[in-house]
Amino acid sequence: MSIYSSLPAPKYSDPEIMYAFYQRLFPFRTLFQWLNHSPTPSNDFGHREFAFTLQNDAYLRYQAFPTADLLRKEVLRLNPSRFEIGPVYTTNPRERKTLRKASAFRPLAKELVFDIDLTDYDEIRTCCDKANICHKCWSFVTMAIKVVDAALKDDFGFKHIMWVYSGRRGAHAWVCDRRAREMDDQKRKAIAGYLELIRGGAQTSKKVNIRRPLHPHIARSLDILKAHFQTDILTDQDPWQSDERFATLLKLLPDKSLNESLRKKWESSPNRPSTSKWADIDSLAKTGASRSLDRKALLEAKQDIVLEYTYPRLDVEVSKKLIHLLKSPFVVHPGTGRVCVPIDTRRLEEFDPLGVPTVTQLLDEIDEWDRREGAVGGGNGSQGNGSQGNGNDDPANSQERRLQDYEKTSLKPYVDYFRAFVASLLKDEKVLKRERNEGGADAMEF
Amino acid sequence: MIRQDFARIDPKRRATFDHKRKQFATASYKPQEYPHRLNFYEIPPTAEITLEEFEQWAIDRLRILAELEACSFRNKTPAETAAHITPLLQKYLPLSSNTSSSSELANERKKDHYSHFILRLAFSATDDLRRRFARVETALFKLRFQNDDARERQAFVETLNFDWEVVGDDEKRELGAELLQSTPGVRRLEDENWFKLDWERVPELVEGRRVLLKRGKAYVPMREQMSMVVSEFTARLERSLELTSRALPRLDEDDRLSPILSHLSKNFTAPDSTYSDSNAHIPGAPINAGSIDTLSQSFPLCMRNLHMTLRKNAHLKHFGRLQYTLFLKGIGLSLEDCLLFWRQSFRNITDDTFNKEYRYNIRHSYGDVGGDANRRGRGYSPYSCQKILTEHPPGPGEAHGCPYRHFSTDNLTALLQATGVSDRDVLRGVREDVEKKRFHMACNRVFEYAHKGEIKKVKDDGTWGAAELDTIVHPNTYFKRSYMLKHLGAVKQEEAES
Ligand SMILES: [Zn+2]
């Protein structure tokens, strides 16, 4: 029996469990390379702000570390329940108070980030609310990722975009291209505005107001979303099934006489499914339910409805500010115990938030493996081994192919994905650095 | 807003832009020529001017900038702003075109050039002043750009050397439909030409989805040139202001200019700070956690909506809490009472949750915790209408913002009726105001209706003058005026205004 599974009903944020997670599984080395953009420690990592939430809920901001190993040591010492990543500053964030002028301490760079949270969908999702999610409503996140990812790549030309499960009911995006990292707030706000479509508070009845013809970004999004609308919205969410709810739909349709016919039809067949109601709109329109029907207005209203029910609802405030912090990938969500793993967008539809490993499950998997392969004698589990500073995630360093702990668990595919992502980022950084240095040599002459 | 009580300082001495001042040091001493009416203000002035000119020119320009800021503050449309500013410009800061063959051409341009640089010195000291200066200078530049003679304007633009690449015929045909879809108002490819450049150069157009984007390049129609030139103007100005601010300490040594400069910048006070503690409180008014329900009868619609939503849901989202907390602070609710008020209002959560998730932010708003600057400033100022109208529009499930701006007409009408405004003429007036985007007017209209008896009384007996009844542009002014009108006699006007 593992010492972890023998504990009575483990709380996910138990300090011991978190400690074991950081000590044996958290991919510090890859995280370092990701933020440092090169294998040699630089200011990209050293001046980067980390913020820790401790077990007693104290919040420590402006932490910074010269190397992956020092970050790891401090994480093991403080054993935070989670931590966040902020921007790279002009100087070491720890020294901000010693500067003579406050303005000398300012944020320089950070990945462009996005936050999708299912609570922002509460007024249109019928299956769950608040912190709860199921496979049905996860498709809202899938749709959002598809639309935002396509725009960031095709329109803005970004290449290095990592999507990360937030551990409970949403996803974060980290856009890591240098061009994205160096954007000021105005440019971040521009991208947020470009992507934002659903506007207006609880009191705004029509939340989509867009120009015709549709901007190519909206047209492309609509293409992506149409298929989802049929299955994920009409069938799975069935948003207008009940009599109280179909009024919401009618409010969004433009033709009064057509609406009257629809209302009669729907009142006479209670609880008619949304799929049929949606089809009724066109079939009644065709039979001439309204003499003055403006077909173009109807089509546009229907497009608007599809968008209102499928288009990403981003928490744009998070994206607009360089200075904003965001939870680090691979930390553990304290409420669910699930690890905030990256989402492989090539297999986006296969991603199952409810199948993401929890921290206790992972520790059990290590024990299970060690027991099975008993000859290795406890593997990497000892305290001494952990302090080598290899950051838990460097298979090349493990001599005689002694496996790293993460390789014994279902965390492996996620760490491997992260490593590949970072390797590709570093490759492009190298080219950029060379170009910049060459450019720099010229600039020196002036 | 910018006040205009410009007192004179030592008019008898002469000022020179001399070589000691580094930010002017790179220029040569030959007299400058002004081939174009428009100016990006990249070359600092070098010739001598008198101290009178120094001050008078700065004051004249400041007058214009103050009016421009007031226009934006009162939510005037570009056309209304132009109508308001043009005669003032003619009077204080005229700029004639080359074709006008005005004899004053050179002097006008010199005054424009010098006054810009003087105010740059005066307003580069703090982030806030720099930001506002850049904003109003940009507005001024834009206004002049629009009014410039088309040919002269094009000649000016060519001097800017932007690296934009004209989209060739082949690419234009290839992208055809997409170019048209992303360029509002253009029906046929033949009617427009496009150039392409890094999207970062045109963030405003990107934000409004008014350009086509392909792999990081923005395809900008020629007629959007103005937006580009204007954003380049802002970018360069912001950079120079930053540089000027670093050079400022050296300027402090010049004891003739610094009093003038500091006086100028003091007259450029921030709109948000016009609602200071000194005029916020109403002596003797019972303002505590238990009286908010009653007092909310005197709140403007934005705050009443927050209050009603809070009572209905026993919760408000982040920006709602922030907007409402600062307002409550502004009416004189103490921090202790404010904490108590929120604690009682969030009746569905535990003390523990409240203490963990909400308490800190409320204390932060009062400047009770947070960085030195926050404590010193006693937290943020209560939001002005301007701020509420322009920042953080409410998203799904959020109740902050301005109902006149952020509600649909039906919901706005329903909310007004729920707060006792059912007069059909008033509701129609509100609808018209809102259609014209005069949100202040709508709010003031409702105020006047809700207090028509009292207003008539104070006007008739002459106790309140025009100044006390000017347009309300701050929610806390709304409350204070409403409260005082409803308690005439109970609160003495003089005390309250002190
Ligand atoms: Zn669900």
Side-chain angles (χ1 to χ4, degrees):
Chain A
M1 275 297 277
S2 144
I3 57 155
Y4 307 108
S5 55
S6 64
L7 287 169
K11 257 185 63 194
Y12 298 119
S13 49
D14 263 359
E16 270 182 84
I17 292 181
M18 287 312 299
Y19 187 88
F21 173 74
Y22 291 128
Q23 193 202 20
R24 306 180 67 169
L25 289 168
F26 192 92
F28 285 105
R29 184 173 161 277
T30 315
L31 185 91
F32 163 79
Q33 294 193 342
W34 170 47
L35 299 174
N36 190 61
H37 313 111
S38 106
T40 342
S42 71
N43 288 345
D44 276 13
F45 189 79
H47 290 177
R48 173 79 77 154
E49 177 183 2
F50 288 85
F52 297 113
T53 305
L54 304 187
Q55 304 282 349
N56 62 3
D57 278 343
Y59 187 53
L60 291 185
R61 279 198 62 181
Y62 300 116
Q63 307 298 301
F65 307 92
T67 64
D69 200 35
L70 289 168
L71 168 66
R72 182 173 189 270
K73 281 209 174 96
E74 187 69 351
V75 168
L76 287 174
R77 189 178 75 81
L78 293 171
N79 197 18
S81 61
R82 57 187 182 275
F83 60 88
E84 294 173 326
I85 297 172
V88 181
Y89 282 92
T90 41
T91 56
N92 188 329
R94 288 181 189 276
E95 289 157 17
R96 70 194 184 287
K97 291 219 168 121
T98 63
L99 296 168
R100 266 190 307 136
K101 270 184 76 180
S103 62
F105 180 69
R106 52 196 164 78
L108 279 182
K110 197 195 64 191
E111 292 72 16
L112 168 67
V113 296
F114 292 94
D115 181 14
I116 300 162
D117 187 312
L118 278 174
T119 45
D120 291 327
Y121 290 77
D122 276 356
E123 52 188 18
I124 54 169
R125 65 175 176 153
T126 57
C127 52
C128 311
D129 68 350
K130 309 227 167 66
N132 307 310
I133 67 157
C134 67
H135 291 120
K136 283 184 183 175
C137 49
W138 182 257
S139 64
F140 283 117
V141 178
T142 304
M143 291 184 248
I145 292 179
K146 281 189 187 173
V147 166
V148 173
D149 204 64
L152 291 173
K153 284 179 178 153
D154 299 349
D155 300 353
F156 291 95
F158 297 130
K159 272 174 68 184
H160 302 284
I161 305 165
M162 181 167 65
W163 289 90
V164 178
Y165 177 45
S166 68
R168 177 175 257 172
R169 57 184 181 204
H172 299 151
W174 296 80
V175 186
C176 308
D177 301 60
R178 178 177 287 194
R179 194 169 164 186
R181 300 200 309 266
E182 291 178 345
M183 294 190 306
D184 58 20
D185 284 351
Q186 191 200 16
K187 297 184 186 84
R188 286 167 203 262
K189 181 167 160 280
I191 296 192
Y194 182 83
L195 294 174
E196 193 181 21
L197 192 68
I198 313 288
R199 292 206 174 109
Q203 295 299 327
T204 316
S205 37
K206 191 168 176 353
K207 295 197 172 57
V208 174
N209 290 292
I210 35 173
R211 271 194 313 268
R212 289 336 196 256
L214 292 177
H215 184 276
H217 160 64
I218 305 293
R220 175 191 52 217
S221 303
L222 196 58
D223 275 343
I224 296 173
L225 296 167
K226 263 184 201 151
H228 285 281
F229 182 74
Q230 282 298 334
T231 53
D232 300 342
I233 303 301
L234 293 182
T235 311
D236 289 350
Q237 295 292 334
D238 203 356
W240 313 300
Q241 188 218 23
S242 71
D243 287 8
E244 311 88 74
R245 282 176 177 268
F246 75 63
T248 326
L249 173 58
L250 289 180
K251 242 185 233 159
L252 298 170
L253 293 171
D255 190 282
K256 285 215 171 80
S257 348
L258 177 62
N259 284 2
E260 250 341 283
S261 315
L262 288 168
R263 181 191 306 282
K264 270 188 211 138
K265 185 176 172 84
W266 296 344
E267 275 169 359
S268 67
S269 63
N271 292 331
R272 189 169 164 80
S274 301
T275 310
S276 315
K277 286 190 170 113
W278 184 250
D280 291 340
I281 299 172
D282 278 349
S283 54
L284 285 196
K286 260 185 211 128
T287 60
S290 164
R291 280 170 192 208
S292 55
L293 182 69
D294 178 345
R295 286 186 183 281
K296 190 161 161 279
L298 181 63
L299 174 73
E300 290 176 0
K302 286 181 64 189
Q303 288 175 335
D304 289 355
I305 293 168
V306 172
L307 290 169
E308 179 161 341
Y309 280 80
T310 55
Y311 191 87
R313 298 179 172 221
L314 300 168
D315 181 354
V316 287
E317 295 311 318
V318 178
S319 310
K320 284 179 185 170
K321 293 262 186 286
L322 181 54
I323 207 157
H324 228 294
L325 296 126
L326 192 67
K327 191 161 57 162
S328 167
F330 286 99
V331 301
V332 171
H333 190 290
T336 62
R338 296 193 199 285
V339 181
C340 301
V341 295
I343 299 170
D344 185 347
T345 42
R346 291 163 304 182
R347 287 190 284 278
L348 181 59
E349 311 270 355
E350 292 163 34
F351 183 82
D352 175 10
L354 304 175
V356 168
T358 64
V359 58
T360 36
Q361 181 191 331
L362 292 171
L363 295 173
D364 282 346
E365 285 170 1
I366 299 179
D367 289 342
E368 175 71 21
W369 192 93
D370 288 350
R371 199 170 56 236
R372 219 172 40 236
E373 312 287 322
V376 187
N380 254 0
S382 73
Q383 296 271 353
N385 212 327
S387 62
Q388 275 179 356
N390 61 19
N392 305 334
D393 52 333
D394 187 7
N397 266 1
S398 49
Q399 287 160 13
E400 302 141 21
R401 277 310 291 145
R402 194 170 64 186
L403 287 186
Q404 298 276 295
D405 279 337
Y406 84 88
E407 295 179 280
K408 305 168 183 169
T409 69
S410 47
L411 195 62
K412 180 173 190 301
Y414 301 109
V415 174
D416 287 346
Y417 177 85
F418 187 36
R419 287 161 50 89
F421 176 84
V422 172
S424 141
L425 174 67
L426 258 55
K427 212 170 119 202
D428 278 7
E429 286 291 324
K430 227 173 175 173
V431 177
L432 275 176
K433 205 165 277 174
R434 201 160 50 229
E435 280 170 6
R436 202 164 275 201
N437 285 342
E438 279 158 15
D442 285 347
M444 292 298 283
E445 295 176 13
F446 292 90
Chain B
M1 246 187 316
I2 305 165
R3 275 180 273 119
Q4 294 181 18
D5 50 341
F6 306 113
R8 296 300 185 123
I9 301 167
D10 293 342
K12 290 285 180 278
R13 285 171 297 176
R14 293 180 72 80
T16 56
F17 288 110
D18 67 26
H19 60 278
K20 276 187 292 190
R21 256 156 275 130
K22 290 286 188 244
Q23 61 271 45
F24 293 164
T26 50
S28 62
Y29 284 81
K30 67 173 186 225
Q32 274 159 5
E33 288 170 12
Y34 302 99
H36 304 285
R37 175 174 172 267
L38 297 168
N39 194 334
F40 252 44
Y41 310 109
E42 301 211 275
I43 303 165
T46 49
E48 276 200 357
I49 57 170
T50 66
L51 203 60
E52 287 95 327
E53 284 171 327
F54 182 93
E55 195 182 1
Q56 188 56 52
W57 291 358
I59 288 174
D60 285 348
R61 190 178 196 91
L62 188 56
R63 215 180 286 268
I64 297 294
L65 298 186
E67 288 295 331
L68 274 170
E69 190 171 62
C71 286
S72 107
F73 191 30
R74 291 181 193 277
N75 235 19
K76 284 202 178 356
T77 65
E80 287 166 341
T81 305
H84 180 73
I85 297 291
T86 308
L88 294 171
L89 271 176
Q90 216 27 263
K91 185 165 173 203
Y92 294 108
L93 207 58
L95 263 190
S96 310
S97 67
N98 289 347
T99 49
S100 73
S101 61
S102 156
S103 58
E104 282 299 299
L105 203 87
N107 283 336
E108 287 173 3
R109 291 179 186 184
K110 183 176 176 187
K111 177 178 174 183
D112 177 60
H113 182 212
Y114 279 60
S115 61
H116 169 89
F117 271 93
I118 298 166
L119 292 190
R120 223 187 238 200
L121 292 179
F123 298 134
S124 59
T126 70
D127 267 354
D128 180 54
L129 282 173
R130 286 200 293 273
R131 208 181 58 238
R132 289 171 54 220
F133 180 67
R135 196 163 57 209
V136 284
E137 276 286 338
T138 302
L140 176 60
F141 178 83
K142 194 168 171 179
L143 195 73
R144 287 169 161 174
F145 189 91
Q146 281 165 318
N147 297 337
D148 207 10
D149 172 87
R151 200 171 312 157
E152 289 181 32
R153 178 168 60 201
Q154 199 50 42
F156 170 73
V157 169
E158 275 159 24
T159 64
L160 298 175
N161 292 324
F162 286 171
D163 50 352
W164 48 38
E165 182 190 337
V166 175
V167 175
D169 284 342
D170 290 344
E171 191 177 6
K172 187 172 156 183
R173 258 194 308 280
E174 195 182 309
L175 293 172
E178 285 186 298
L179 281 174
L180 291 179
Q181 284 157 7
S182 49
T183 317
V186 180
R187 294 269 166 89
R188 303 180 315 165
L189 280 180
E190 311 80 278
D191 294 346
E192 184 58 281
N193 280 305
W194 283 263
F195 52 91
K196 64 176 166 181
L197 70 179
D198 288 344
W199 75 265
E200 287 95 335
R201 302 281 301 275
V202 285
E204 280 179 45
L205 296 178
V206 170
E207 187 170 353
R209 283 193 295 269
R210 282 180 287 139
V211 281
L212 176 65
L213 288 183
K214 286 267 176 212
R215 307 224 154 257
K217 292 282 179 200
Y219 290 72
V220 182
M222 283 298 176
R223 64 203 168 84
E224 292 286 4
Q225 207 178 41
M226 181 178 85
S227 158
M228 286 210 43
V229 172
V230 169
S231 74
E232 187 65 22
F233 177 86
T234 317
R236 293 190 195 179
L237 178 56
E238 280 170 351
R239 266 201 307 277
S240 325
L241 284 170
E242 183 78 38
L243 290 176
T244 311
S245 78
R246 281 183 223 162
L248 263 191
R250 275 187 293 253
L251 197 78
D252 288 343
E253 293 158 19
D254 192 319
D255 57 355
R256 293 165 309 159
L257 298 186
S258 45
I260 302 182
L261 292 174
S262 88
H263 189 70
L264 287 169
S265 62
K266 279 200 195 97
N267 280 316
F268 200 62
T269 49
D272 281 342
S273 60
T274 53
Y275 213 88
S276 64
D277 284 353
S278 57
N279 64 4
H281 296 181
I282 305 172
I287 290 174
N288 52 54
S291 61
I292 301 298
D293 279 320
T294 320
L295 292 172
S296 73
Q297 305 292 323
S298 281
F299 289 179
L301 200 61
C302 49
M303 303 302 168
R304 282 197 87 169
N305 179 49
L306 283 168
H307 190 78
M308 289 158 74
T309 311
L310 175 64
R311 285 289 174 253
K312 196 173 93 204
N313 300 343
H315 191 261
L316 281 179
K317 290 203 169 188
H318 172 76
F319 285 115
R321 294 197 303 274
L322 189 59
Q323 180 176 325
Y324 199 32
T325 301
L326 293 174
F327 171 77
L328 293 174
K329 178 173 83 165
I331 72 170
L333 189 68
S334 69
L335 172 59
E336 292 67 36
D337 272 86
C338 193
L339 286 166
L340 181 65
F341 169 76
W342 284 110
R343 177 63 285 245
Q344 289 168 342
S345 302
F346 285 6
R347 54 180 186 274
N348 299 335
I349 61 164
T350 61
D351 280 344
D352 198 36
T353 314
F354 182 80
N355 289 336
K356 262 190 207 148
E357 292 180 18
Y358 304 105
R359 198 179 176 82
Y360 184 87
N361 280 339
I362 298 165
R363 292 178 58 204
H364 195 268
S365 303
Y366 273 76
D368 194 42
V369 289
D372 292 347
N374 190 52
R375 288 164 188 251
R376 252 200 317 277
R378 278 183 282 163
Y380 311 125
S381 306
Y383 287 172
S384 62
C385 297
Q386 162 84 342
K387 197 167 168 87
I388 293 172
L389 284 165
T390 54
E391 292 183 11
H392 303 299
E398 293 183 318
H400 67 273
C402 168
Y404 296 104
R405 174 162 206 169
H406 299 120
F407 273 33
S408 68
T409 321
D410 289 351
N411 287 330
L412 175 61
T413 308
L415 178 64
L416 282 169
Q417 283 166 338
T419 58
V421 182
S422 45
D423 185 278
R424 279 172 53 196
D425 287 341
V426 174
L427 291 175
R428 183 170 351 105
V430 166
R431 263 199 303 281
E432 285 165 9
D433 291 336
V434 169
E435 264 164 38
K436 289 186 194 138
K437 304 205 178 303
R438 297 164 182 269
F439 309 110
H440 286 108
M441 293 299 122
C443 189
N444 278 276
R445 181 188 298 279
V446 168
F447 183 90
E448 278 161 27
Y449 166 74
H451 302 83
K452 57 176 183 292
E454 295 86 350
I455 291 174
K456 184 170 184 314
K457 185 168 177 305
V458 293
K459 269 188 182 163
D460 287 353
D461 63 21
T463 44
W464 286 31
E468 280 88 42
L469 289 165
D470 64 352
T471 312
I472 297 171
V473 291
H474 198 296
N476 287 84
T477 313
Y478 188 110
F479 167 73
K480 182 179 171 189
R481 196 178 295 173
S482 169
Y483 186 88
M484 294 203 305
L485 285 169
K486 301 265 182 196
H487 296 81
L488 286 171
V491 185
K492 283 215 186 86
Q493 179 69 12
E494 314 84 81
E495 284 175 26
E497 292 293 320
S498 65

